[in-house]
Amino acid sequence: MNERPEKSLFEAPKMAEQERMVEAILFASADPVTVAELQARLPHGCDPAEALTHLRRRYEGRGVQLARVGDAWAFRTAADLGFLMRKETVEQKKLSRAAIETLAIVAYHQPVTRAEIEEIRGVAVSRGTIDQLLELEWIRFGRRRMTPGRPVTFVVTESFLDHFGLESARDLPGIKELRAAGLLDNRPLPGSTKTPDEDEPVTGQSELFED
């Protein structure tokens, strides 16, 4: 629940002006902005959560829409107009089969350890695959499990959610969306009959889980 703004000796700006302020901050920010960050920038007594609600409604049906990314907010091009941006976007290199399978497992089973990823895939996961996803900032380290060895877990990031236009991991894309994004081909998914892994030679888990 959003906390109500503290009472102030000074009258807060009218909601229309608060909307303008929030709109300006979001347009100027390169990254999604949380309600707490908006609260810290706005004059005392403002209610950024309410301003966001009004602002989101005002942008409904327009070319630019206010989207929620995890716990933050940002302006994004309307999904149905994405084709207009194709000439202005940088072509992304398709992830390897091993990387896309690993990413899918983290997304749908988070928080998950490397050993659990290997158990689900049925093959070992190289450190290079994990490093690639970490460098893309699509996964990050989660909390360590309170089990022997205290293995580290992996979870998806807000950058991953933002890339797919998701508010949370509960809205994860299906197979069709992954293929439409050019990140998955038509070969069988994990759990089917597998060929030898395309990763580099397998390294020990201790290399990944060092303190």
Side-chain angles (χ1 to χ4, degrees):
M1 297 178 59
N2 295 321
E3 296 183 359
R4 300 295 299 174
E6 298 179 5
K7 293 184 177 180
S8 171
L9 296 176
F10 303 96
E11 185 177 356
K14 294 182 178 180
M15 183 52 62
E17 184 64 17
Q18 293 184 39
E19 285 184 48
R20 292 183 66 241
M21 294 178 181
V22 170
E23 185 178 35
I25 293 173
L26 294 178
F27 265 120
S29 177
D31 301 310
V33 184
T34 65
V35 173
E37 291 170 335
L38 290 171
Q39 186 77 65
R41 298 187 191 184
L42 295 176
H44 192 73
C46 287
D47 188 345
E50 183 177 352
L52 284 166
T53 299
H54 291 296
L55 202 59
R56 190 177 196 181
R57 188 179 302 118
R58 186 149 60 88
Y59 273 88
E60 286 180 354
R62 302 187 63 175
V64 174
Q65 297 178 351
L66 183 58
R68 184 170 183 174
V69 182
D71 294 327
W73 296 84
F75 281 110
R76 293 290 182 262
T77 301
D80 62 324
L81 299 179
F83 70 96
L84 297 173
M85 309 297 125
R86 287 178 181 172
K87 292 184 179 180
E88 301 178 22
T89 58
V90 177
E91 184 178 355
Q92 299 293 329
K93 183 178 180 181
K94 183 181 292 187
L95 293 177
S96 68
R97 175 70 172 178
I100 211 46
E101 288 183 359
T102 300
L103 177 62
I105 292 170
V106 173
Y108 287 96
H109 296 272
Q110 65 177 335
V112 61
T113 66
R114 178 176 176 178
E116 291 167 342
I117 294 172
E118 293 178 338
E119 181 179 356
I120 294 171
R121 289 193 65 209
V123 293
V125 179
S126 76
R127 182 167 183 170
T129 295
I130 296 291
D131 287 344
Q132 181 185 13
L133 295 175
L134 289 171
E135 289 171 5
L136 285 172
E137 296 184 349
W138 278 11
I139 67 170
R140 64 176 176 81
F141 294 110
R143 293 182 178 179
R144 290 181 177 274
R145 285 276 172 81
M146 298 302 291
T147 55
R150 297 195 64 197
V152 70
T153 61
F154 298 96
V155 297
V156 294
T157 65
E158 288 193 353
S159 294
F160 171 84
L161 298 177
D162 193 16
H163 180 86
F164 285 102
L166 307 172
E167 289 191 9
S168 71
R170 292 189 298 272
D171 304 315
L172 282 166
I175 297 174
K176 290 183 179 179
E177 287 82 0
L178 290 173
R179 285 176 177 155
L183 296 174
L184 190 65
D185 56 28
N186 292 318
R187 284 181 289 178
L189 290 175
S192 60
T193 304
K194 300 189 63 64
T195 55
D197 196 1
E198 298 174 357
D199 291 344
E200 308 93 86
V202 178
T203 56
Q205 288 190 25
S206 60
E207 293 186 24
L208 185 60
F209 300 142
E210 290 177 352
D211 293 325

